Amino acid sequence: MTKSTIAQKTSNGEMAVGGLFSGLWAGLVMSAYLLVAGLLGGSTFVESFTRLSLTESAEPWMATLTHLAVSAVYGLVYGLVYAFITRRWRWEISWWLALALGALYGLILWLLAVNILAPGTVNPLREITPAVLVGAHLVYGLALGGLIYRVRND
């Protein structure tokens, strides 16, 4: 398959929808990582999910649904960016490069979270240790990168 064939394999709409659902799944993987990290750190099930909120008063189910919605939107954005990059430069991205790009995207989201969303706020998200938060965003990015690769190449 030539690079120009790969570049035209999926439409922007397919990549947007694929990104939306990939982001949702990656958000679930990230939530599972945060749950396990929280339980290993001595938190309860409810405390682990409450920390996903940007407000102090959120219920665990609301914090979790909000986190998954945001994860899906970030996935949609990533799917469109991924489509643009592969079409613009007619790249055929390997699975390992897709994972690396996803991890980079996860780190960018972490930087946005700690430098733009969290400063100056009082929220449960700040109770998550920096190492766990970086790891969670890497897990999200790796999952998203792998899932988007599958959307693009299946």
Side-chain angles (χ1 to χ4, degrees):
M1 196 174 292
T2 65
K3 289 184 180 182
S4 60
T5 305
I6 290 289
Q8 301 303 320
K9 201 169 186 179
T10 50
S11 70
N12 286 338
E14 290 170 320
M15 288 304 290
V17 172
L20 187 74
F21 286 107
S22 295
L24 178 64
W25 281 108
L28 284 169
V29 172
M30 181 182 185
S31 295
Y33 173 89
L34 287 168
L35 175 63
V36 169
L39 293 174
L40 291 174
S43 297
T44 66
F45 184 84
V46 171
E47 289 170 338
S48 296
F49 281 108
T50 302
R51 288 190 181 123
L52 296 174
S53 176
L54 292 176
T55 65
E56 288 184 87
S57 61
E59 294 291 326
W61 65 270
M62 183 58 81
T64 303
L65 290 178
T66 302
H67 179 261
L68 294 176
V70 170
S71 296
V73 171
Y74 284 153
L76 182 147
V77 170
Y78 183 76
L80 291 174
V81 169
Y82 189 94
F84 174 77
I85 289 171
T86 55
R87 282 198 187 99
R88 176 78 172 115
W89 291 291
R90 299 192 189 288
W91 285 357
E92 184 173 351
I93 294 179
S94 64
W95 65 269
W96 63 267
L97 183 55
L99 291 177
L101 289 172
L104 176 64
Y105 186 70
L107 288 175
I108 290 168
L109 293 177
W110 169 75
L111 286 170
L112 289 172
V114 298
N115 292 310
I116 294 173
L117 295 177
T121 64
V122 177
N123 62 56
L125 187 63
R126 299 187 79 167
E127 295 174 17
I128 301 172
T129 63
V132 169
L133 201 55
V134 169
H137 282 86
L138 280 173
V139 165
Y140 173 81
L142 288 168
L144 183 62
L147 290 165
I148 287 291
Y149 177 81
R150 294 290 307 264
V151 167
R152 182 73 171 172
N153 293 297
D154 278 349

